[in-house]
Amino acid sequence: MINICEKRIIDDVDTIQVGCYYDVINLHKYPEELACQILKKLIEWACQPQNETPILLARKKIDEINKDWLKHCLLDVAKECIDFSDYWEYSRLLELIVCVIPELKSEALQLCEDSEDEDIREVLENYKET
């Protein structure tokens, strides 16, 4: 049974391509623009909500995506939808990366290394230590 949070994610992703939520394992086979739009929606769900449930559901779905394709696209797509001056979104993005594509952690940390925001600096320090 699908819970209400997952239903919201499915409905949102389905605005791009009906049924693609259940086919993310083949996302790398989609036309690149379409695949990136779908990934963008999933990244937004994994990084922007304040509630843990949609964040974890979106992370799990992103984890189903082909890792080689994801390595190539994740950060570029994240740059389109994540507010890197918002510590919450940036923290959730780093959590996503560490869970799904840890090889991108160093590159993701570099995205905000020049930030003067105290909260962002704290996030950077926390992730540099892990």
Side-chain angles (χ1 to χ4, degrees):
M1 179 154 185
I2 296 172
N3 72 37
I4 193 159
C5 288
E6 188 167 22
K7 176 78 171 113
R8 287 184 187 142
I9 296 170
I10 293 167
D11 290 346
D12 195 25
V13 172
D14 275 359
T15 63
I16 299 167
Q17 175 79 28
V18 174
C20 65
Y21 180 85
Y22 295 105
D23 192 40
V24 295
I25 195 167
N26 292 309
L27 197 61
H28 64 289
K29 297 177 184 176
Y30 284 42
E32 187 169 346
E33 185 177 331
L34 176 61
C36 288
Q37 288 176 349
I38 294 164
L39 178 59
K40 180 179 175 183
K41 284 285 186 191
L42 291 172
I43 291 172
E44 289 170 350
W45 279 103
C47 299
Q48 294 172 349
Q50 299 295 310
N51 184 310
E52 180 182 58
T53 301
I55 291 171
L56 295 177
L57 287 167
R59 280 185 198 167
K60 182 178 177 186
K61 190 53 68 173
I62 291 169
D63 194 34
E64 295 176 17
I65 297 171
N66 177 282
K67 298 302 184 260
D68 291 330
W69 183 84
L70 202 54
K71 281 182 219 174
H72 174 72
C73 296
L74 183 83
L75 287 178
D76 287 337
V77 173
K79 289 175 187 175
E80 297 177 16
C81 61
I82 297 300
D83 179 356
F84 289 93
S85 66
D86 181 310
Y87 87 93
W88 179 265
E89 289 186 30
Y90 184 54
S91 294
R92 302 299 75 77
L93 178 64
L94 289 170
E95 288 172 359
L96 171 65
I97 288 169
V98 167
C99 291
V100 177
I101 305 286
E103 307 91 297
L104 295 178
K105 178 180 155 187
S106 176
E107 190 176 344
L109 289 171
Q110 291 174 1
L111 294 172
C112 289
E113 68 184 357
D114 295 331
S115 176
E116 295 187 18
D117 181 279
E118 287 183 38
D119 292 328
I120 297 292
R121 300 292 318 155
E122 184 176 337
V123 169
L124 287 168
E125 290 306 313
N126 289 340
Y127 276 89
K128 285 180 181 176
E129 294 173 5
T130 59

